[in-house]
Amino acid sequence: MPGEQPIFANMVKLNTNENPYPPSPKVEAAMRQLCDNMERFRLYPDFKAEPLTAVLAKCYGLENDQVFVGVGSDDVLSVAFLTFFHSDRPVLFPDITYSFYDVWAQVYEIPYKCPMLDENFRIRKEDYYQKNGGIVIANPNAPTSIAEGIDFIEDILEHNQESVVIVDEAYVDFGGESALPLLKKYENLLIVQTFSKSRAMAGMRIGYAMGSPTLIRAMNDVKYSINSYTMNYPSLSVGVAAVEDDAYFRECCEKVIRTRTWARMELERLKFTCLDSAANFLFVTHPFVPAAKIFAALKERGIFVRYFNKPRIDNYLRITIGTKEQMERLMEALLEIVPVAEKKEGV
């Protein structure tokens, strides 16, 4: 299930990993141009999404036929599952990771297996040396926030050259290392990214995949047979504008990273343990106060974080990095909650 989407005055929404800053000013300008040309809306959009695939290819040093776009990375991943995972062997992805992987596998009746993360919530690459029908790795992982290096990803690719390996890089721009350079070497690698996080456009639903022309062509074949016009005209237009403003993109990422560093220091002063994060969120636990109690107490104060009532992570909270002001309000609330809760626990 997705995180709660509350809307009321003075709330602090830190539960769905949205970017706290608005999109590029160039996106706003593109939207105004769209409003001045409403006649265009009566026509179907470019079903190949070529304006967007072209600007993304240029941005990442690829050819146009190496980029696929869809309605958010969820749509892109869904098409990838449907396209590539159809053997009798199980698709492999970690037991703690993005919650939609097993949903798609079940919907498309794909066999799957979930190797356990180790005691530090890290992937054991040896678990992916076994025979499989495909591999999916979120890097940085969600909800743990941990990232593996490019050598780690290449090792998995080396051991799985007969399988399609999908690397979901939704959070890579906040400190992870992209597997993009490996596309020159591995025809079976598909990298998926999104505009929802680092480009601050979750509301426009734009995601994309990068891979060999063979993989991208296969995805397009499936897409065209199901729904050719997945990307609407406004999303294509503002998506191009966002990619073209590289300076703003980098500035926003740096602001999130700086706030994340400050927030981690503040949380650790309150005795929280924070996993090393390469994402726009922190995954934290407190030694004395149950995560469920902290979650409920924050919610009473209009502050929303994410709580997962699942095995192994039911005493952790995922906290999206908001603005400095939002994070300060979070810390003020935690100063009230943690000492009070500690006394109730007899600590």
Side-chain angles (χ1 to χ4, degrees):
M1 292 291 291
E4 293 179 80
Q5 294 287 359
I7 300 177
F8 57 85
N10 299 318
M11 70 175 183
V12 176
K13 191 170 181 290
L14 306 174
N15 66 329
T16 49
N17 296 345
E18 293 146 321
N19 197 309
Y21 303 106
S24 159
K26 289 188 177 182
V27 170
E28 182 179 357
M31 288 295 290
R32 294 185 184 280
Q33 289 180 358
L34 287 169
C35 292
D36 291 337
N37 187 25
M38 296 297 290
E39 172 70 11
R40 183 65 180 79
F41 284 68
R42 68 181 182 81
L43 304 174
Y44 283 108
D46 177 0
F47 74 94
K48 293 184 178 180
E50 287 185 340
L52 186 53
T53 57
V55 76
L56 284 167
K58 181 179 179 181
C59 177
Y60 292 105
L62 303 172
E63 299 299 323
N64 289 9
D65 61 359
Q66 290 184 269
V67 181
F68 173 95
V69 298
V71 186
S73 61
D74 287 345
D75 176 50
V76 174
L77 286 162
S78 177
V79 173
F81 270 60
L82 191 58
T83 304
F84 302 119
F85 299 155
H86 42 70
S87 78
D88 294 332
R89 294 174 177 172
V91 173
L92 305 178
F93 46 84
D95 67 324
I96 301 171
T97 191
Y98 185 40
S99 59
F100 265 140
Y101 299 157
D102 60 347
V103 171
W104 288 313
Q106 291 169 26
V107 167
Y108 298 136
E109 298 184 340
I110 299 167
Y112 67 96
K113 184 177 179 180
C114 299
M116 291 183 66
L117 299 179
D118 69 16
E119 65 277 8
N120 297 312
F121 296 120
R122 302 196 81 101
I123 296 170
R124 289 180 282 222
K125 60 185 178 181
E126 294 80 9
D127 291 341
Y128 296 82
Y129 294 173
Q130 60 185 291
K131 292 182 179 180
N132 61 77
I135 291 173
V136 188
I137 293 175
N139 192 44
N141 196 16
T144 65
S145 77
I146 295 174
E148 303 295 347
I150 194 170
D151 291 342
F152 184 97
I153 298 299
E154 182 164 20
D155 184 86
I156 290 177
L157 284 160
E158 283 280 1
H159 285 85
N160 294 278
Q161 297 190 41
E162 300 303 315
S163 301
V164 173
V165 177
I166 298 176
V167 181
D168 183 352
E169 295 186 343
Y171 303 101
V172 73
D173 297 318
F174 299 106
E177 185 178 13
S178 178
L180 191 69
L182 300 177
L183 289 178
K184 296 177 181 178
K185 188 175 179 181
Y186 296 94
E187 293 280 316
N188 61 323
L189 170 62
L190 188 76
I191 298 170
V192 177
Q193 295 190 11
T194 178
F195 281 54
S196 296
K197 316 303 181 187
S198 54
R199 297 193 188 276
M201 294 175 65
M204 294 306 296
R205 311 309 301 131
I206 305 172
Y208 54 104
M210 299 174 285
S212 67
T214 301
L215 295 187
I216 299 304
R217 184 165 53 251
M219 290 181 69
N220 276 322
D221 287 345
V222 170
K223 171 188 169 184
Y224 298 156
S225 68
I226 297 172
N227 182 4
S228 299
Y229 299 103
T230 58
M231 295 296 294
N232 63 61
Y233 180 61
S235 291
L236 291 173
S237 299
V238 300
V240 169
V243 176
E244 289 177 340
D245 197 348
D246 187 66
Y248 183 86
F249 159 72
R250 294 185 184 280
E251 177 188 349
C252 280
C253 289
E254 285 301 319
K255 285 196 290 188
V256 170
I257 292 168
R258 286 196 302 269
T259 305
R260 182 184 71 202
T261 300
W262 174 85
R264 177 172 179 171
M265 292 174 58
E266 294 299 308
L267 287 164
E268 288 176 344
R269 285 176 185 160
L270 293 172
K271 307 303 181 184
F272 282 89
T273 296
C274 306
L275 274 62
D276 289 335
S277 177
N280 67 334
F281 58 88
L282 291 166
F283 199 54
V284 308
T285 186
H286 197 277
F288 310 124
V289 190
K293 289 188 176 182
I294 299 173
F295 168 76
L298 287 172
K299 189 173 180 179
E300 289 175 357
R301 292 164 170 80
I303 300 173
F304 292 81
V305 297
R306 191 72 188 269
Y307 172 64
F308 298 90
N309 188 16
K310 295 182 177 181
R312 301 184 69 195
I313 59 171
D314 60 352
N315 200 33
Y316 283 79
L317 296 172
R318 191 192 69 189
I319 303 173
T320 303
I321 302 302
T323 63
K324 185 69 177 298
E325 293 74 20
Q326 288 174 324
M327 301 308 287
E328 286 173 346
R329 183 170 160 188
L330 169 70
M331 300 309 165
E332 290 171 0
L334 289 174
L335 278 170
E336 298 175 356
I337 296 165
V338 173
V340 171
E342 285 182 1
K343 291 174 183 176
K344 287 182 179 179
E345 295 294 321
V347 177

